[in-house]
Amino acid sequence: MKAVRFHQHGGPEVLRYEEVEKPTAGPGQVLVRVAGVAFNPADGGIRAGTLPIPVALPHIPGYDVSGTVAALGEGIDRFAVGDAVIGFFPMTDDGGAAEYVVAPAGALVAAPTSVALADAAGLPSVGLTAWQALFDEAGLRPGQRVLIVGAGGPVGGYAVQLAARAGAHVIATASPRSREGVLASGAAEVVDHTTTSLLDAVTEPVDVLLNLAPLDPDEFARLVVLVADGGVVVSTTAWMPAPSDERRGVRGVVVFVRSDAAQLAELVSRVDRGDLRIDIARRVPLGELAAVHAESAAGTLRGKVVALPGT
């Protein structure tokens, strides 16, 4: 089968599109014929060796995958050959940038039926990140005010939708390019972070501050004054702690997304009910995945990109 692999850590140029042996499903595993594999910035960090996630070399990247069940390992009765599935796969294992991939059955759920199967690869880890940040960590409730910094990105798109559907008043930061999409996702207010200071724009305290942007640590710390007493600061920027203010009972927490089949199934249900939208900016042949890594490394990648094997 064809796959994208890197044999050593480094820049996007270390990625090779090559012939590799097709994997087989062991006990507790499922062999998936890949329909789509989504690119995430962490894929670049794993490839470069800058993220502390150990992988065996050569390594196939891509941990957000959609496809159809091709074979079942011993002990699997939850799925049948031909089932359409999606999953957030273990980052330490070979991923889905290939025609076939083996995954633990517990990481898979039935794919949404209302979108193209390849596009469904754009949901798992980013949707779970938004869900776990808002509900597991922040405990978001109806009527609360939430400030989402960096709402124009893939996680932000889901976070705005989920928070708005939960009955929260959503204030979002976005560039002019992303403004209309963020409003369409349910934001009540959008602040242009390229021209406006949040300290000036947010005039009433928020209950939750969710940061998805690579802010300077000092700039991030200054935003804590916007959070009401007893509120929470949640961040996905794992390289720095989330600021807090113990004196006012404002806690800070960093989210490390985890695979959760029940939560992913709930997200799929919301997609099929029309309560959650999957936005895919671009679809590329699998052989062009290295170019996507290069765009990300250069800071020019916009939106969620899905690579398609066999094209």
Side-chain angles (χ1 to χ4, degrees):
M1 70 172 187
K2 286 290 190 179
V4 174
R5 298 197 296 183
F6 56 89
H7 294 250
Q8 63 188 57
H9 294 290
E13 68 278 0
V14 302
L15 292 167
R16 301 181 190 174
Y17 184 50
E18 58 192 8
E19 193 72 28
V20 304
E21 185 176 351
K22 180 180 173 181
T24 58
Q29 295 181 323
V30 174
L31 178 67
V32 177
R33 182 175 182 176
V34 178
V37 56
F39 173 81
N40 291 289
D43 289 313
I46 294 170
R47 182 212 68 240
T50 55
L51 276 182
I53 297 174
V55 296
L57 299 177
H59 178 73
I60 300 173
Y63 50 84
D64 276 343
V65 181
S66 63
T68 54
V69 173
L72 300 171
E74 181 183 349
I76 303 302
D77 57 12
R78 292 178 49 229
F79 300 104
V81 172
D83 284 352
V85 294
I86 63 171
F88 169 29
F89 294 3
M91 293 184 181
T92 53
D93 295 351
D94 275 339
E99 293 181 288
Y100 291 88
V101 62
V102 164
L108 297 172
V109 302
T113 59
S114 58
V115 300
L117 181 56
D119 288 359
L123 175 64
S125 72
V126 281
L128 286 170
T129 299
W131 181 280
Q132 291 166 14
L134 290 171
F135 303 119
D136 292 356
E137 302 296 348
L140 186 67
R141 302 187 304 276
Q144 289 190 317
R145 290 168 54 83
V146 56
L147 170 60
I148 300 175
V149 179
V155 175
Y158 289 117
V160 172
Q161 292 181 74
L162 290 170
R165 287 288 186 177
H169 180 93
V170 180
I171 307 163
T173 74
S175 66
R177 181 187 62 251
S178 303
R179 176 182 173 83
E180 291 307 315
V182 172
L183 284 170
S185 293
E189 304 175 45
V190 178
V191 178
D192 180 356
H193 65 84
T194 66
T195 61
T196 308
S197 165
L198 276 174
L199 295 176
D200 295 330
V202 180
T203 57
E204 296 181 39
V206 298
D207 302 287
V208 177
L209 165 58
L210 172 57
N211 178 53
L212 309 170
L215 297 178
D216 174 84
D218 290 338
E219 178 186 4
F220 193 9
R222 287 193 290 271
L223 297 181
V224 178
V225 298
L226 300 176
V227 182
D229 293 0
V232 59
V233 177
V234 186
S235 179
T236 61
T237 50
W239 60 88
M240 64 176 174
S244 60
D245 186 344
E246 289 79 5
R247 180 180 57 83
R248 297 192 298 113
V250 176
R251 59 187 179 90
V253 60
V254 175
V255 174
F256 297 93
V257 63
R258 66 185 186 282
S259 182
D260 188 306
Q263 291 178 351
L264 184 54
E266 172 60 25
L267 293 170
V268 167
S269 176
R270 292 183 180 219
V271 170
D272 282 339
R273 293 200 308 265
D275 291 339
L276 190 65
R277 187 179 68 252
I278 297 176
D279 289 321
I280 304 300
R282 202 162 91 237
R283 302 157 192 86
V284 301
L286 181 61
E288 297 179 12
L289 186 59
V292 177
H293 277 246
E295 287 182 56
S296 179
T300 58
L301 187 66
R302 299 290 180 261
K304 178 61 69 176
V305 177
V306 172
L308 313 177
T311 61

